[in-house]
Amino acid sequence: MSGLNVSIAFFLLVVSTCEMLRRLSKRLLSPGAYCCLAGELTGSLQLCSSCLELRMLLEIGPWGGGFGPDVVFTLLFLLFMVHAASLDGASANPTVSLQEFLLLESGPAATAAKLLAQAVGVGTGWAITKLYWSWELTQFHLIQNLIASECSSSIRTSLYHGAFVEGACSFFFHLVLLRLRRSRTVYRAPALAATVTFLTYAAVMTTGAFFNPALAVATTFACTGSSLRDYVQVYWLGPLTGMLAALLLYQGNIPRLFQKNLLYSQKSKYKIPKARLAHAEGGDERWKGKGEKSNPAPRA
């Protein structure tokens, strides 16, 4: 269990360091620059480093450390709950940033800045985790370094099935996110953490259950077994399609593209009282009766 303790210490160090960087940048930068750049960069760094370490534990832990997947999924739930509570509005997910753009909550320049910050954050997290593994503080890291050059693709099914699985995970994640985006953090964080944990448990043996294009690039794009086109189709187009489907189902439209609601009828917010409507109909009938010409009966 000493290796697991080292990993937990690494998680705590990453989370606390990123939180310190967020607080420092919040003082030095404007609110717009903080949300679009510093928040997304530190959030992506935190998420990437934690997920890389978790996946290493999931692959090596059962036969190298003597603990099962239940330990890893418990850590995943706790870590994602911490992420959801501490990211301070950052998404660390390109599909979430694109969703905000389609909902007219973010402009083109801000969305592009967020995507760039996420790419830099994921790259930095990948580099820091690789450096940490190179120190070989535990037996897990030694094994990871030995098998790193021979990693295989996380796509363990057909291409179309893999894209469907990633799209379905993204669909359910974004549907929950849309439902809870106005909720308080105390309710939103555990609900999102439970959703991510369940989806990961259900699909991890099929595609790895990333439903995050930036995270997939750092984790599996360098592995052999699938081409770049396959990775793009499964880990980029799949989650993007799932996000669009969730947005269309929840909203009935995509505000950035069209305003007409395709799924739900728009009810008027002004209601006419029934008594007044009946009175108006009675008045119409009286007016009609006065306006009609009389037809006297023919005389004999």
Side-chain angles (χ1 to χ4, degrees), residues 81 85 183-191:
M81 190 162 60
S183 303
R184 298 173 59 184
T185 305
V186 67
Y187 305 120
R188 185 175 67 252

Side-chain angles (χ1 to χ4, degrees), residues 2 14 73 85 89 144 149 196 198 204 211 246-247 267 278 287 299:
S2 60
V14 168
F73 287 118
Q144 175 64 32
S149 59
V196 170
F198 172 76
V204 68
F211 47 96
L247 182 58
K267 296 182 179 180
W287 179 85
R299 296 179 180 178

Side-chain angles (χ1 to χ4, degrees), residues 16 53 71 73 83 101 124 133 151 157 183 219 228 252 273 278:
S16 59
E53 185 74 3
V71 176
F73 287 118
H83 292 331
F101 172 73
T124 306
W133 285 347
C151 69
T157 183
S183 303
T219 306
L228 178 61

Side-chain angles (χ1 to χ4, degrees), residues 273-287:
K274 293 182 178 179
R276 185 176 298 177
L277 181 61
H279 177 73
E281 291 177 351
D284 290 342
E285 292 177 357
R286 288 196 299 271
W287 179 85

Side-chain angles (χ1 to χ4, degrees), residues 2 26 36 67 120 168 182-183 201-202 222 239 244 246 262 267 277 292 295 300:
S2 60
K26 203 169 186 178
C36 295
F67 54 86
V120 174
R182 306 297 183 190
S183 303
Y201 175 80
L244 291 174
L262 301 179
K267 296 182 179 180
L277 181 61
E292 291 177 345
N295 295 322

Side-chain angles (χ1 to χ4, degrees), residues 47 91-95 122 166 209-217 235-236 239:
L47 185 63
S91 63
N93 189 331
T95 58
V122 166
E166 285 291 313
F210 294 102
F211 47 96
N212 183 330
L215 192 60
V217 170
Y235 295 116
W236 287 9

